[in-house]
Amino acid sequence: MFTKSLIVKLFFVVIALLAIASFISVRTTEPSVTGIKDPKVEKLKLTDGFKAEHLYSPSENNYGSWVSMTFDDKGRMIVSDQYGSLYRLKIPAIGAENQTTAIEKLAIGKAPNVDTTGMGYAHGLLYAFNSLYVMINNGKNNKEFTRKSGLYRLQDTDNDDQFDKLTLMKELVGEGEHGPHSIVLSPDKKSLFVICGNHTDVPPLDAYRLPSNWQEDNLFPLIKDPRGHANDRYAPGGWIANLDPEGKKWELFSAGYRNAFDMTFNEVGDLFVYDADMEWDFGLPWYRPTRICHATSASEFGWRTGNSKWSPTFPDNLPPVLNIGQGSPTNLLHLKDAKFPAKYKSTLLAFDWSFGIIHAVHLKPSGSTYSGEREEFLSGLPLPLTDGVIGPDGALYFLTGGRKLESDLYRVSYIGNENTAQVAAKPINSANALRRSLEQYHTGGPNKEAVKIAFPYLKNPDRFIRYAARLAIEHQPVSEWQDLALNEKDPIAQTQALVSLIRQGKGDKKNEILNALLNINFKTLTQPQQLDLLRAFELAFLRMGQPDATMKPKIIAYLDPLYPANTAHLNRSLSKVLIYLDAPDAVAKTLKLMDIKTEPGSNDLNVETATASSDLILRNPQYGADIAAMLANIPPAQHTYYATMLSLAKVGWTPAFQDKYFKWYYDAFGYKGGRSYVGFLDRARKLALKNVPESKRAYFDKLSGAERLSKNGNDLILATAPKGPGGYWKLETALPLVENGLANRNFEQGKAMFSATTCKMCHAMRGEGGAIGPDLTQLGTRFSSKDMLEAIIHPDKTVSDQYAATQYSLKNGSSVVGRLINEDKNYYYVSQNPYSPEVLEKVLKKNVVSAKYSSVSIMFGGLINSLNADEMKDLMAYLMSGGNDKNPMFSAKTEVKKDGK
């Protein structure tokens, strides 16, 4: 027998999802679905041969939401609540009869001398050197917990098993989810490494492997995030430092990250980082997916604020090992110490909070660095992963929670038949050894042998070796190698050496440097070498200023015949430099490229990711909504790049060119990107408007779509857009407003909100709307306002299998999440994108191992949160009336005005 709330759920569960033009009325069947046992374990999709156990639920016991963990020297786990205390756990052994987890709250000192401030708010924990190291990440205005952000050391000096000594090793200026993060032990177990997000200032340090004269270094017109994110954050972004156990000496090791929460060393001592993306940049040319980076000595990974993020092709930063895709990285660990089969001994586990996936990244040496192959090790719907560690027993322990969400502790162990014994690490290859030998010159001060040893490796075919050699040279006095750089005959070595001279020189050799670059035969170089050369020109302009009147025409004459090139990467670099130089034909050539739908070599710009964006949508509808919308109407990123660069162009325009250019913006606003897509375009549009005659500015403003935009330029004006301000609607706040009466409601506004909240995409009202969800015309005659509000506000409370997403586990370890639409003898046809429902993923039946329904509703949450109280009441009146404007709830019809400027 269906309950009333379940029936209501069937009406609402597909709001904003799967708006398929015509429903395929074919009888379909799901593969056998696993029966529910422990729901916290049953929701997990786990690789064959492994067993998961749910050990503890801190949130159910009022211990908060845990985000960091470590094991002490007695095998006990220590954890931290994100916004609370530290706890120590004694966890039952695998297979133990008594499965009770003992827990105690940690204090500093003992009665009566307990430090009442307490300890917690830790993003990172590490037990080493008979100490507990704690990375506190705390807001400066937090009155409940007053310890400042920074690295702390706790010690037990009297051996009573309680910490009694607290030392602040270094205060760090940074807080929040981009603040100070994790701590790990060095491979030789003699020092510590710490990692911080891009909202954490680099404090004064004792040494810098990456020279500290960093700059933004991008000719691209700087547009900061239109919504204000990281607008006051500049180079070098997130960073890693190495320090001794007492914190007496700190050395910057690597930088240029956005918000890497964690790092780990592999079995031969190479360091890896899992860095974050900026999801608001979806669809824009500077979007960078989450990625695994090999953090070598003095490495730079090019995060910069707003649209100024560096291309991975730039020689002064390094590329990732693997682009994972969209997500929210929280943890990275290596399985060298796990009791797992041999295939995992050179494997990273990368945790994604947003989409609930633990990615296994199998590393393979590739020259002096690595390549990575990804498989899905574990996932869940939902599974907000926060931290993980390999325990003393060789099992994987991991936490879920964060942001005060429900939190849980799990253990994963191997129960298969393969050998899990430790495997001796293979010796590093010769390329890796060479890179490390060069990296020794990144620290310890100048070395008389460094230039002689490193300079020949500037032309090495291995990019990481070239980088290590260049940084070794940059650490030496410029006088020792300046003439070598200017007179080098090999074009590859000279390009790298001149990049170093531009970065470290005094700027007094500008013309000599530019002449040296002009003497390099561009056409004899490979594309990567050509990009390096163009980057050298760009850095010269940035660091040493515009070329003089004699040099400028020479550079234009050298570069102009090369543009346009035969690859999209080269065209980006050439357009940037030529527009900056005011080359006469740059505008005409660039606009012509914007006529090409698919530019030659544009596939090189498509960043290949290990996860398919379409597969992420239904794993987390809240985050998946933006992905779904973008995939249905993808912006032309290359054209956006050109348009943004042209916003600086002051010469080469004709009236026809200007009309064409500004009309492009009007059309571009029709595409769908991340939250900042419209704002970035509007800021570029406004930069361009500054370059037109004042008498024509209003004309081009209108032509380029000004009337389509909100006052702040961050959003499009929609006819049915809510006026707001909205809020986080809860049943207990919304229901009284509705139950107190819906007299004199505005019918037209209620109808408009039915569309604005995307109900109309899937549901019909009096014959208008979608056909996938049930017709809502009779809803008000059968259900109460409480039933309706509960179904809208809490879509996950009851999830019918009629509308649930299914996770298909495949033989290769991956999985596919979506809604089954059709099937035949050989395939399941699965819809993954609600905004492109006609695009179906074909899943070969013989590859499906199992399937399980998701406990998460595929209805998006928060659909009414953009509505103010009147708009919410008008929507409810519209639903309860069945779309009947003659219902007594409504006063005379009132037109709904657009959200004007």
Side-chain angles (χ1 to χ4, degrees), residues 114-173:
V114 175
D115 186 330
T116 56
T117 303
M119 178 58 68
Y121 284 74
H123 276 210
L125 295 170
L126 175 70
Y127 192 91
F129 307 109
N130 295 315
S131 307
L132 177 64
Y133 294 92
V134 181
M135 184 67 88
I136 288 182
N137 184 326
N138 186 29
K140 41 185 188 229
N141 296 320
N142 185 359
K143 296 180 180 179
E144 296 180 4
F145 182 75
T146 57
R147 294 201 196 281
K148 297 177 179 179
S149 289
L151 182 63
Y152 292 75
R153 185 182 191 183
L154 293 175
Q155 294 170 280
D156 174 12
T157 61
D158 56 7
N159 297 315
D160 67 349
D161 205 29
Q162 297 295 319
F163 297 111
D164 53 66
K165 182 180 179 181
L166 172 65
T167 305
L168 172 58
M169 300 179 71
K170 187 174 286 291
E171 180 183 343
L172 296 172
V173 178

Side-chain angles (χ1 to χ4, degrees), residues 544-788:
M544 299 186 295
Q546 277 262 10
D548 60 33
T550 302
M551 186 63 66
K552 186 174 180 178
K554 292 181 182 179
I555 301 173
I556 293 174
Y558 176 83
L559 296 176
D560 191 65
L562 305 172
Y563 184 54
N566 58 1
T567 76
H569 268 306
L570 282 172
N571 283 334
R572 284 192 181 186
S573 294
L574 285 164
S575 66
K576 181 192 294 188
V577 174
L578 287 167
I579 290 172
Y580 170 82
L581 292 171
D582 293 327
D585 296 329
V587 168
K589 290 181 176 183
T590 306
L591 285 173
K592 190 172 182 180
L593 284 172
M594 292 176 68
D595 288 333
I596 303 173
K597 185 175 182 180
T598 305
E599 189 176 326
S602 59
N603 287 338
D604 296 340
L605 295 173
N606 296 329
V607 179
E608 185 176 350
T609 57
T611 56
S613 296
S614 59
D615 187 52
L616 301 176
I617 296 168
L618 297 183
R619 292 176 186 263
N620 186 331
Q622 177 185 350
Y623 288 87
D626 285 341
I627 299 174
M630 187 193 73
L631 292 180
N633 196 11
I634 300 175
Q638 185 75 342
H639 293 177
T640 303
Y641 184 95
Y642 293 142
T644 305
M645 198 61 225
L646 283 169
S647 68
L648 290 187
K650 296 178 174 59
V651 301
W653 293 101
T654 67
F657 285 169
Q658 289 176 318
D659 278 4
K660 178 179 180 179
Y661 173 71
F662 285 105
K663 179 63 169 61
W664 178 89
Y665 281 99
Y666 188 97
D667 297 333
F669 286 130
Y671 294 101
K672 181 65 178 177
R675 289 191 65 203
S676 292
Y677 171 76
V678 170
F680 271 117
L681 259 62
D682 182 56
R683 301 311 188 271
R685 183 184 73 89
K686 287 173 179 173
L687 285 176
L689 286 170
K690 293 179 180 179
N691 296 326
V692 302
E694 188 172 349
S695 61
K696 297 283 288 182
R697 201 162 291 166
Y699 166 75
F700 287 122
D701 189 36
K702 183 176 182 179
L703 181 67
S704 56
E707 294 180 352
R708 303 186 69 182
L709 302 174
S710 60
K711 289 181 180 180
N712 62 13
N714 289 344
D715 301 286
L716 295 178
I717 296 174
L718 303 175
T720 58
K723 296 176 183 177
Y728 183 70
W729 284 107
K730 297 181 179 180
L731 185 63
E732 54 266 32
T733 55
L735 186 58
L737 293 176
V738 175
E739 288 186 334
N740 285 339
L742 292 177
N744 299 314
R745 300 320 312 163
N746 185 325
F747 174 82
E748 292 298 334
Q749 181 158 274
K751 184 177 181 180
M753 295 307 100
F754 184 69
S755 177
T757 55
T758 66
C759 302
K760 191 175 180 179
M761 290 179 62
C762 299
H763 298 279
M765 185 72 82
R766 292 184 174 264
E768 294 184 16
I772 287 301
D775 188 301
L776 301 184
T777 307
Q778 301 300 320
L779 185 65
T781 65
R782 302 174 62 190
F783 303 107
S784 70
S785 55
K786 180 181 179 181
D787 293 330
M788 296 181 199

Side-chain angles (χ1 to χ4, degrees), residues 277-586:
D277 65 345
M278 174 46 160
E279 65 272 17
W280 294 358
D281 289 350
F282 288 169
L284 291 163
W286 45 88
Y287 171 73
R288 307 195 311 180
T290 67
R291 53 195 197 151
I292 303 294
C293 297
H294 179 194
T296 56
S297 170
S299 52
E300 156 76 83
F301 287 93
W303 179 86
R304 297 296 186 267
T305 193
N307 66 345
S308 289
K309 300 167 186 71
W310 292 4
S311 165
T313 66
F314 288 177
D316 41 336
N317 77 159
L318 290 170
V321 170
L322 183 69
N323 288 303
I324 297 289
Q326 291 95 348
S328 299
T330 50
N331 181 61
L332 187 68
L333 60 85
H334 193 273
L335 294 176
K336 56 184 178 292
D337 298 321
K339 288 187 177 179
F340 286 7
K343 72 171 282 191
Y344 293 102
K345 296 302 183 182
S346 297
T347 299
L348 303 170
L349 292 186
F351 287 34
D352 173 19
W353 183 87
S354 291
F355 298 105
I357 304 172
I358 299 179
H359 305 281
V361 179
H362 304 291
L363 296 173
K364 295 181 181 179
S366 177
S368 70
T369 183
Y370 297 82
S371 61
E373 183 178 327
R374 176 259 181 195
E375 71 170 276
E376 186 177 302
F377 178 75
L378 184 150
S379 61
L381 304 173
L383 196 69
L385 298 153
T386 57
D387 200 9
V389 66
I390 301 301
D393 55 5
L396 166 66
Y397 291 80
F398 71 87
L399 294 169
T400 64
R403 296 185 180 177
K404 300 185 179 181
L405 294 176
E406 180 180 335
S407 187
D408 290 290
L409 169 64
Y410 292 86
R411 174 168 58 202
V412 174
S413 53
Y414 182 70
I415 58 173
N417 300 319
E418 295 185 48
N419 191 345
T420 61
Q422 287 287 347
V423 177
K426 295 179 182 178
I428 60 174
N429 61 29
S430 59
N432 193 311
L434 172 58
R435 172 179 54 77
R436 295 185 188 200
S437 71
L438 294 167
E439 289 170 351
Q440 68 179 311
Y441 300 113
H442 298 170
T443 186
N447 187 303
K448 292 182 178 180
E449 300 296 315
V451 174
K452 181 177 71 174
I453 291 173
F455 207 92
Y457 294 109
L458 292 176
K459 62 182 178 181
N460 192 279
D462 187 308
R463 180 170 172 180
F464 279 67
I465 290 174
R466 291 197 305 274
Y467 185 93
R470 184 173 58 76
L471 267 294
I473 290 168
E474 289 190 22
H475 277 276
Q476 312 313 313
V478 174
S479 60
E480 292 184 12
W481 51 271
Q482 178 174 270
D483 289 343
L484 285 174
L486 291 170
N487 298 313
E488 174 61 38
K489 300 303 180 186
D490 183 271
I492 302 167
Q494 186 174 45
T495 300
Q496 301 298 321
L498 291 174
V499 166
S500 288
L501 184 55
I502 293 164
R503 284 165 46 86
Q504 301 302 329
K506 298 178 181 178
D508 57 338
K509 298 292 183 181
K510 179 168 74 170
N511 280 355
E512 289 95 325
I513 290 171
L514 292 174
N515 275 321
L517 293 174
L518 288 172
N519 285 330
I520 294 175
N521 189 336
F522 190 91
K523 293 184 179 179
T524 64
L525 304 177
T526 64
Q527 177 183 295
Q529 294 162 3
Q530 292 171 341
L531 289 168
D532 288 356
L533 180 58
L534 291 170
R535 176 60 171 167
F537 276 111
E538 179 181 9
L539 286 170
F541 304 151
L542 286 160
R543 295 268 180 152
M544 299 186 295
Q546 277 262 10
D548 60 33
T550 302
M551 186 63 66
K552 186 174 180 178
K554 292 181 182 179
I555 301 173
I556 293 174
Y558 176 83
L559 296 176
D560 191 65
L562 305 172
Y563 184 54
N566 58 1
T567 76
H569 268 306
L570 282 172
N571 283 334
R572 284 192 181 186
S573 294
L574 285 164
S575 66
K576 181 192 294 188
V577 174
L578 287 167
I579 290 172
Y580 170 82
L581 292 171
D582 293 327
D585 296 329

Side-chain angles (χ1 to χ4, degrees), residues 171-184:
E171 180 183 343
L172 296 172
V173 178
E175 61 182 82
E177 293 186 356
H178 291 240
H181 293 316
S182 298
I183 322 152
V184 300

